[in-house]
């Protein structure tokens, strides 16, 4: 953390009370005098080729030298003092106003930034990793993390959930309670008392899921005997073994990898006065009286979203009672640990220590601390990289779900502006040229070192979800970025930065990612059987053991291949045609009897439906000639709210049944509108009502305010995509104007 004073853990000095205003002075929030806060006017976001880090300026001279930008102030929730724009009466005028606002948030490299928060289990891993590796936490960071967690306590019971909109759980409450204590919160603070009461009502920390028990054991406030086995020996299985870890979903195996190494080493932070006290606070009985071994499978019903199977419980019993105490050879254990750490090292080096995501990043830090020592280069590099994941906003500091959404949001914004017919407007050409330059810079130009040895997918020509440096191929991120490049580079006045050879590299990579079913997954083709879900030990997540087919990813690839074929009709013509036929067959098969598609990366049926209809429309299937498209439109129309919008609750993701949100949501309304317009739905009044709602929610300065959470992963955990409230309205408003004319609606 540059430009800040670093202080020992847990010693957080006070700051003067800070009164903050939401953007443009719409409301005033006064921070409780009990909670110290930093001066938000001193925070700055630095973007170095997409690498986003926040910095706190200690001196007035630093503040003078590095002025706060409009983007800084927006993300911090500070007043912007932007002028009101002429009231938009037509869709294109509304889109122009939105771009007038959103363009001011573009960062120097050409991308847009935003928080990518929502999950409440990320910060605890970071803070515990800092604590056990004795990494100093900068004072402003400690202050703002503490403030964020208090701001996100459940308003009734004082606990914390799996994500910001969820009910309190043992996972969220135990872990975030520990963080607050590490950062200096008193156990006698009334909010901590309330949180502790909720934790005890849920049975205490022994009822936490596997990941909670892992971190609490690392910290030394739980015994390792309470943690179900994570043997690194699995990494020694030959590749042909059906349950070999290389077959697992990339996020699962990259978390299991350092977790297995740390658990096998039995690392526990030495006891100190704080952790001794936490041993008494986290449980409903004295620590010394707890039989932790008997609580391996104890879990609160609120945390037990995906119960462990009989198969997994049997395997765990055999490992605990037979393999580890009687059969496990020391030499095999050491060989497994060595190979596991070699794979950790490969992950670090292939990502520039940015790692796949924040969960494995903090675990890799701990693993390197154990293996290489506290003063090693690897630990130093990990410590520096942790700042890529933290984000500051008006509520305090959170941890993002990746190191950002830079490529993803930038690609979508370009497409939205092109769709709106505004890309050839000279006013927006500089903004879009910078965005194109960013995508040019972020394309991955080479494969990983040791690609096969570390089980990585081909990535040459791909785009990552966030940055080139992070370096993981993602099927839909590659597809959306490729579409954005092709759309802009074919327009007059834009440079052709991405060469034909590099475009073909992207196509070559996409064609390696199709599943046998015809659908496309996220990071790589499906490698294992769905029966591997029987070994899902996480409990709080579902569908995490292998890659799956997704309508969202499949649509992105289909539409990218179609656009490329228009650009270059001959390159791999037969392979592309074959891939599209199989992909569309999957899309049709994935449609449910009621006409919907289930979404896995956005909430939920509205999100997947938009993509699936776009797939079908790209090959000429519309309302007029396709019964399945008519059924999809009818599914949406039947769920339109009285105000003309659509709103879907995140509960749909958990239950797999459409659940109405109590209010219409701008983003979801736009998803539905885009689907209906792609389908050429003949009911113009339905579409106009939705457009009017979107326009009516727009503020005088061109922005839309944040509403309910938009994203999801693994069915149970929600995640924020704040830039969607600009991107999809611009696209929907522009598409309406193209289809029906830029008529006055307000």
């Amino acid at each position: 953390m540059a430009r800040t004073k670093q202080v020992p853990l847990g010693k957080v000095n006070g700051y003067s009370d800070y009164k903050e205003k939401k953007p443009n002075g719409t409301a005033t929030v006064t921070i409780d005098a009990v909670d110290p806060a930093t001066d938000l006017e001193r925070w700055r976001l630095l973007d170095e080729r997409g690498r986003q880090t926040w910095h706190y300026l200690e001196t007035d001279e630093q503040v003078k030298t590095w002025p706060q930008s409009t983007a800084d102030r927006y993300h911090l929730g500070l007043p912007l003092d932007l002028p009101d724009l002429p009231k938009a009466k037509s869709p294109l005028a509304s889109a122009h106003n939105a771009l007038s606002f959103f363009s001011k948030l573009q960062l120097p490299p050409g991308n847009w930034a935003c928080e990518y928060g929502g999950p409440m289990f990320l910060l605890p891993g970071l803070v515990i990793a800092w604590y056990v590796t004795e990494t100093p936490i900068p004072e402003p960071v400690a202050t703002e993390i503490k403030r964020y967690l208090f701001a996100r306590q459940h308003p009734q019971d004082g606990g914390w959930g799996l994500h910001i909109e969820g009910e309190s759980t043992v996972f969220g409450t135990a872990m975030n309670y520990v963080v607050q204590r590490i950062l200096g919160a008193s156990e006698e603070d009334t909010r901590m008392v309330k949180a502790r009461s909720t934790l005890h009502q849920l049975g205490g920390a022994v009822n936490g899921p596997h990941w909670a028990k892992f971190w609490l054991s690392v910290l030394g406030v739980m015994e390792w005997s309470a943690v179900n086995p994570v043997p690194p020996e699995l990494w020694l299985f030959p590749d042909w073994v059906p349950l070999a870890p290389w077959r697992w979903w990339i996020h699962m195996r990259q978390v299991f990898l350092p977790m297995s190494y740390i658990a096998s080493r039995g690392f526990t932070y030495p006891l100190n006065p704080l952790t001794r006290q936490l041993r008494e606070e986290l449980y409903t009985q004295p620590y010394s009286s707890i039989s932790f071994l008997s609580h391996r499978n104890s879990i609160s019903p609120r945390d037990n979203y995906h119960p462990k199977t009989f198969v997994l419980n049997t395997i765990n019993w055999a490992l605990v009672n037979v393999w580890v105490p009687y059969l496990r050879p020391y030499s095999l254990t050491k060989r497994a640990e060595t190979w596991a750490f070699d794979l950790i090292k490969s992950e670090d080096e292939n990502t520039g220590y940015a790692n796949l995501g924040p969960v494995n990043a903090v675990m890799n830090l701990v693993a390197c601390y154990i293996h290489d020592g506290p003063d090693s280069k690897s630990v130093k590099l990990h410590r520096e990289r942790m700042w890529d994941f933290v984000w500051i906003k008006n509520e305090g500091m959170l941890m993002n779900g990746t190191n950002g959404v830079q490529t993803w949001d930038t690609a979508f914004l370009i497409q939205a502006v092109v769709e709106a017919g505004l890309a050839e407007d000279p006013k927006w050409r500089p903004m879009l040229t910078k965005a194109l330059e960013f995508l040019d810079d972020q394309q991955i130009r080479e494969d990983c070192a040791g690609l096969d040895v570390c089980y990585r997918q081909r990535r040459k020509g791909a785009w990552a979800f966030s940055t080139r440096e992070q370096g993981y191929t993602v099927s839909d991120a590659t597809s959306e970025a490729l579409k954005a490049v092709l759309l802009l580079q074919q327009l007059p006045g834009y440079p052709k930065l991405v060469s034909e050879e590099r475009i073909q590299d992207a196509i070559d990579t996409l064609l390696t990612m199709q599943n046998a079913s015809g659908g496309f997954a996220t990071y790589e083709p499906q490698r294992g059987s769905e029966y591997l879900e029987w070994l899902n030990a996480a409990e709080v997540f579902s569908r995490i053991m292998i890659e799956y087919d997704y309508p969202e990813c499949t649509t992105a690839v289909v539409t990218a291949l179609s656009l490329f074929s228009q650009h270059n009709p001959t390159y791999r013509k037969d392979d592309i045609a074959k891939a599209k036929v199989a992909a569309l067959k999957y899309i049709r098969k994935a449609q449910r009897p009621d006409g919907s598609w289930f979404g896995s990366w956005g909430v939920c049926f509205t999100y997947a439906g938009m993509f699936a209809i776009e797939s079908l429309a790209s090959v000429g299937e519309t309302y007029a000639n396709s019964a399945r498209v008519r059924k999809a439109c009818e599914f949406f129309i039947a769920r339109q709210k009285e105000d003309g919008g659509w709103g879907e609750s995140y509960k749909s993701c958990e239950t797999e049944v459409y659940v109405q949100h109590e209010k219409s949501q701008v983003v979801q309304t736009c998803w539905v509108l885009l689907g209906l317009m792609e389908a050429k739905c003949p009911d113009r009044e339905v579409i106009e009502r939705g457009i009017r709602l979107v326009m009516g929610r727009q503020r005088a300065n061109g922005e839309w305010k944040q509403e309910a959470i938009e994203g999801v992963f693994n069915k149970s955990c929600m995640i924020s995509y704040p830039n969607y409230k600009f991107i999809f309205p611009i696209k929907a408003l522009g598409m309406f104007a193209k289809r029906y004319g830029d008529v006055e609606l307000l």
Side-chain angles (χ1 to χ4, degrees):
M1 180 74 178
R3 302 178 179 87
T4 63
K5 180 175 68 176
Q6 302 212 334
V7 298
L9 289 162
K11 295 182 180 178
V12 182
N13 296 326
Y15 285 80
S16 59
D17 292 349
Y18 182 84
K19 292 186 178 180
E20 56 190 37
K21 294 181 179 179
K22 293 185 178 179
N24 300 294
T26 58
T28 300
V29 178
T30 302
I31 296 171
D32 192 319
V34 171
D35 293 325
T38 64
D39 181 354
L40 296 186
E41 302 274 356
R42 290 181 175 271
W43 286 97
R44 304 290 186 271
L45 178 63
L46 179 65
D47 189 329
E48 302 167 290
R49 295 184 68 185
R51 184 187 180 192
Q52 299 165 174
T53 52
W54 283 96
H55 303 265
Y56 189 75
L57 308 186
E58 295 281 1
T59 69
D60 292 341
E61 183 60 32
Q62 290 173 330
V63 171
K64 183 179 179 181
T65 304
W66 188 356
Q68 208 167 39
S69 69
T70 299
D72 293 339
R73 296 183 68 80
Y74 173 77
H75 295 308
L76 291 163
L78 295 171
L80 300 182
D81 299 322
L82 294 178
D84 289 349
L85 301 170
K87 184 172 177 56
K89 297 182 178 180
S90 71
L92 273 188
S94 181
H96 269 287
N97 284 356
L99 271 179
S100 292
F101 185 92
F102 197 50
S103 63
K104 293 178 175 63
L105 307 184
Q106 189 177 31
L107 299 175
N111 62 295
W112 280 262
C114 65
E115 72 165 281
Y116 190 43
M120 291 301 295
F121 60 89
L122 300 177
L123 270 177
L126 174 65
V127 174
I128 292 173
W130 274 338
Y131 192 82
V132 302
T133 60
E134 299 185 336
T135 301
I137 301 180
E139 185 177 347
V141 170
T143 299
E144 292 298 340
I145 290 175
K146 212 170 129 187
R147 189 164 70 85
Y148 178 77
L149 292 182
F150 277 138
R152 282 298 175 177
Q153 270 189 291
H154 192 281
Q156 277 79 46
D157 63 32
W160 291 272
L162 182 65
H163 58 87
I164 58 175
E165 294 191 11
E167 64 181 354
S168 296
T169 61
V170 174
F171 192 14
T173 304
M175 296 288 282
N176 287 294
Y177 180 93
V178 165
V179 169
Q180 293 293 60
R181 293 288 281 119
I182 287 174
L183 297 179
S186 169
E187 74 276 19
E188 297 177 359
D189 185 308
T190 55
R191 295 163 298 180
M192 297 293 284
V193 172
K194 195 172 187 180
R196 193 163 63 246
S197 174
T198 293
L199 176 60
H200 290 179
Q201 289 173 31
L202 294 171
V206 292
N207 275 352
H210 185 258
W211 287 14
K213 289 173 177 172
F214 166 83
W215 277 118
L216 295 177
S217 297
V218 168
L219 182 60
V221 298
M222 183 175 280
E223 300 299 317
W224 276 108
S225 60
V227 184
N228 271 310
V230 278
E233 293 94 309
L234 288 179
W235 288 101
L236 299 178
F237 281 180
D239 288 351
W240 58 263
V241 174
L243 55 77
W246 77 276
R247 300 180 183 277
W248 302 357
W249 184 44
I250 184 65
H251 277 280
M252 189 60 192
R253 69 176 186 261
Q254 288 295 6
V255 170
F256 173 80
L257 178 61
M259 184 181 280
S260 68
Y261 177 82
I262 295 165
S264 185
R265 292 292 300 268
F267 174 83
T268 295
Y269 189 67
L271 271 177
N272 61 29
L274 174 61
T275 53
R276 281 194 180 90
Q277 183 64 28
L278 281 169
R279 284 183 168 193
E280 302 307 320
E281 295 172 20
L282 295 172
Y283 305 100
T284 59
Q285 65 189 90
Y287 187 87
S288 60
S289 69
I290 300 172
S291 171
F292 283 99
L293 180 62
S294 68
H295 286 290
R296 284 190 302 107
N297 296 316
S298 298
I299 186 168
S300 163
R302 289 194 189 180
D303 293 79
N304 202 17
Y305 181 72
H306 185 95
K308 294 188 293 294
T309 62
F310 172 78
V311 172
L312 180 59
N313 284 331
T314 301
I315 292 171
N316 284 338
W317 182 92
L319 289 170
V320 169
N321 294 288
V322 180
W323 173 252
V324 173
Y326 299 115
L327 302 178
R328 190 188 197 199
Y330 177 81
S331 59
L332 184 68
T333 302
K334 290 304 160 188
R335 182 178 158 215
E337 290 173 358
T338 298
W339 178 232
F341 190 79
D342 285 346
L343 291 174
I344 290 169
K345 186 177 179 181
S346 293
E347 160 72 355
D348 289 344
E349 293 176 349
N350 279 322
T351 61
Y353 287 79
N355 295 126
L356 175 63
V359 178
N360 79 308
V362 295
M363 291 183 182
N364 282 13
L365 165 60
V366 176
C368 288
Y369 182 86
I370 296 167
H371 186 276
D372 296 340
D375 300 320
S376 62
K377 180 181 177 181
S378 62
V379 170
K380 179 177 180 288
L381 291 171
H382 272 299
R383 284 171 171 157
E384 291 175 356
R385 277 295 187 182
M386 292 302 111
W387 304 116
D388 296 23
F389 296 104
V390 296
W391 187 266
I392 179 77
K393 58 182 293 188
N394 61 326
E395 295 175 312
M397 182 168 280
L398 55 91
M399 193 175 197
N400 281 336
T402 63
N403 62 332
V405 294
Q406 298 88 320
T407 293
W408 182 250
D409 281 359
T410 301
F412 269 137
L413 186 278
I414 291 172
Q415 292 180 49
V417 179
V418 172
E419 179 61 49
L422 302 178
E424 294 183 74
D425 186 331
K427 181 178 181 180
W428 308 120
R429 189 171 291 134
M431 175 193 75
L432 292 174
T433 300
K434 282 175 64 180
L436 177 60
E437 289 169 353
F438 179 77
L439 293 185
D440 167 50
D441 183 55
Q442 293 301 313
Q443 189 182 24
I444 302 168
R445 310 290 182 87
E446 68 289 313
D447 283 322
C448 292
L451 183 75
D452 296 329
V453 175
C454 57
Y455 309 111
R456 286 287 296 273
Q457 177 69 14
R458 173 195 159 104
R459 68 179 190 179
K460 184 180 181 183
W463 279 268
F465 183 72
S466 56
T467 64
R468 171 183 176 178
E469 204 166 24
Q470 189 260 7
Y472 269 91
T473 303
V474 183
S475 65
D476 52 355
T478 298
S479 299
E480 302 299 352
L482 178 61
K483 286 192 289 183
V485 167
L486 290 172
L487 287 168
L488 268 192
Q489 290 193 167
Q490 71 184 6
L491 293 177
Y494 288 97
K496 290 180 169 51
L497 302 177
V498 181
S499 69
E500 186 64 22
E501 180 183 359
R502 288 167 56 197
I503 289 171
Q504 291 174 8
D505 284 340
I507 294 296
D508 291 344
T509 291
L510 286 176
L511 290 173
T512 69
M513 301 185 75
Q514 192 164 29
N515 291 330
S517 63
F520 285 80
T522 51
Y523 295 89
E524 55 204 15
Q526 191 177 88
R527 296 175 173 182
S529 164
E530 194 165 343
Y531 288 119
L532 283 171
E533 287 296 342
W534 289 356
L535 305 183
N536 178 356
E539 298 148 327
V540 294
F541 306 120
S542 182
R543 290 168 63 88
I544 66 169
M545 289 301 296
I546 60 168
E547 282 278 14
Y548 288 92
D549 301 311
Y550 301 110
E552 307 98 302
C553 298
T554 305
T555 292
V557 177
V558 166
T559 52
L561 294 176
S562 295
L563 188 61
F564 172 76
S565 293
Q566 294 172 24
H567 164 78
N568 185 336
T570 60
Y571 185 75
R572 299 194 65 175
K573 177 182 176 181
D574 293 341
D575 293 332
I576 289 172
K578 182 180 177 181
K580 285 175 60 179
V581 167
L584 288 160
K585 183 179 179 181
Y586 156 72
I587 288 285
R588 296 179 184 115
K589 184 178 179 181
Q591 188 177 26
R592 296 183 170 206
D594 63 4
S596 69
W597 286 267
F598 180 76
S600 297
W601 303 106
V603 178
C604 168
F605 293 97
T606 48
Y607 187 69
M610 169 188 67
F611 280 102
I613 292 172
E614 184 186 5
S615 261
L616 298 174
S618 74
V619 293
E621 280 195 46
T622 65
Y623 190 98
N625 61 20
S626 171
R628 68 171 44 87
V629 173
R630 286 194 294 274
K631 202 165 191 178
C633 291
E634 289 162 4
F635 176 86
F636 281 150
I637 292 169
R639 286 155 180 81
Q640 189 173 29
K641 290 181 174 290
E642 290 185 7
D643 61 8
W646 283 263
E648 184 180 4
S649 167
Y650 75 83
K651 290 290 185 182
S652 296
C653 306
E654 297 177 346
T655 63
E656 297 191 36
V657 175
Y658 190 101
V659 178
Q660 288 277 8
H661 196 282
E662 59 184 10
K663 295 180 181 179
S664 293
Q665 304 292 309
V666 165
V667 171
Q668 291 170 344
T669 297
C670 291
W671 290 342
V672 174
L673 291 172
L674 288 165
L676 293 176
M677 287 188 284
E678 288 281 10
K680 299 182 180 178
C681 175
D683 196 336
R684 176 171 171 170
E685 177 57 26
V686 166
I687 296 169
E688 274 196 13
R689 290 178 64 214
I691 291 289
R692 287 194 190 97
L693 177 126
V694 173
M695 292 175 63
R697 294 266 182 97
Q698 190 175 29
R699 300 180 68 81
N701 63 4
E703 71 171 320
W704 285 271
K705 284 298 184 180
Q706 185 64 31
E707 297 177 336
I709 203 161
E710 306 91 349
V712 63
F713 58 91
N714 303 133
K715 292 181 66 176
S716 60
C717 194
M718 308 305 128
I719 195 162
S720 300
Y721 287 85
N723 287 338
Y724 279 5
K725 64 181 177 286
F726 296 100
I727 292 166
F728 288 103
I730 291 169
K731 185 174 183 179
L733 292 163
M735 186 179 289
F736 181 91
K738 271 188 176 179
R739 303 283 168 104
Y740 301 107
D742 191 30
V743 296
E744 287 193 5
L745 296 179
L746 293 182

